[in-house]
Amino acid sequence: MEFVAILIVITTILFGLYCSIVENLLNKLHIYNMIKGFPGPKAHPIIGNVNLLIGNTEDITHQFLNISKNFQSLWRLWLGMKLFVIVDNSEYIKSEEYEFLKPAVRNGLITVPGESFLQNIYSTKHMDVFINHFIALIEKLETLVGEELDV
């Protein structure tokens, strides 16, 4: 009896794992089919375009600038299994093309709807943190100078 209960639990866990893997693969396949016509550097299986990130920061920057010259407007980049769609032309950000890609690219720093980007930057929570850090900096400067600072 105990063996049957353990077998049911293990089977349920394996089935749930199988379903989540299949769902993830179907989602990736859907995204791949949406962007398969996009230009971009050749992506390798599993690693994608991670080979472009070999070297120091300057090498990587030059690599991306060269790629950007070869693929203008919209182009895709795979870092491992994660897709990035690079937009070189600001006209695409709020255009019909962006609306088509929105399920794949979601909301980014610039493409977030409304003014929520600015609202997030200037939220009171962030301002409180900034003010606390500023006060701590002033206190440290006062100890170094040895007198009160007039800011």
Side-chain angles (χ1 to χ4, degrees):
M1 191 69 155
E2 226 176 83
F3 176 73
V4 173
I6 293 172
L7 189 61
I8 290 172
V9 169
I10 290 174
T11 305
T12 305
I13 291 171
L14 289 176
F15 182 72
L17 184 61
Y18 172 77
C19 288
S20 68
I21 290 171
V22 167
E23 181 184 10
N24 189 12
L25 289 174
L26 288 175
N27 186 29
K28 295 285 184 192
L29 183 64
H30 176 70
I31 290 173
Y32 176 76
N33 284 331
M34 284 178 62
I35 60 99
K36 67 181 173 186
F38 279 34
K42 179 177 173 26
H44 303 288
I46 300 175
I47 66 166
N49 299 111
V50 171
N51 59 318
L52 301 176
L53 300 177
I54 297 173
N56 59 25
T57 308
E58 188 175 327
D59 295 338
I60 295 169
T61 304
H62 287 296
Q63 183 81 335
F64 274 103
L65 289 174
N66 289 335
I67 293 169
S68 149
K69 288 176 188 172
N70 294 332
F71 306 107
Q72 296 181 357
S73 300
L74 286 168
W75 52 282
R76 53 127 183 92
L77 184 73
W78 288 93
L79 296 180
M81 299 296 283
K82 183 82 172 166
L83 167 69
F84 293 88
V85 176
I86 288 71
V87 181
D88 288 345
N89 186 344
S90 62
E91 293 176 11
Y92 285 113
I93 292 179
K94 294 293 181 181
S95 66
E96 293 174 14
E97 291 85 355
Y98 172 72
E99 291 302 319
F100 171 73
L101 289 173
K102 197 170 187 175
V105 298
R106 298 186 188 97
N107 288 328
L109 185 64
I110 305 298
T111 58
V112 67
E115 296 183 16
S116 53
F117 169 66
L118 292 176
Q119 290 169 353
N120 287 336
I121 288 178
Y122 297 113
S123 72
T124 55
K125 182 177 83 173
H126 292 100
M127 290 304 288
D128 289 343
V129 170
F130 176 76
I131 290 170
N132 289 338
H133 285 291
F134 185 73
I135 290 171
L137 175 66
I138 293 298
E139 289 172 354
K140 285 183 181 181
L141 287 173
E142 286 176 349
T143 58
L144 289 173
V145 173
E147 60 187 58
E148 188 174 318
L149 292 175
D150 185 17
V151 179

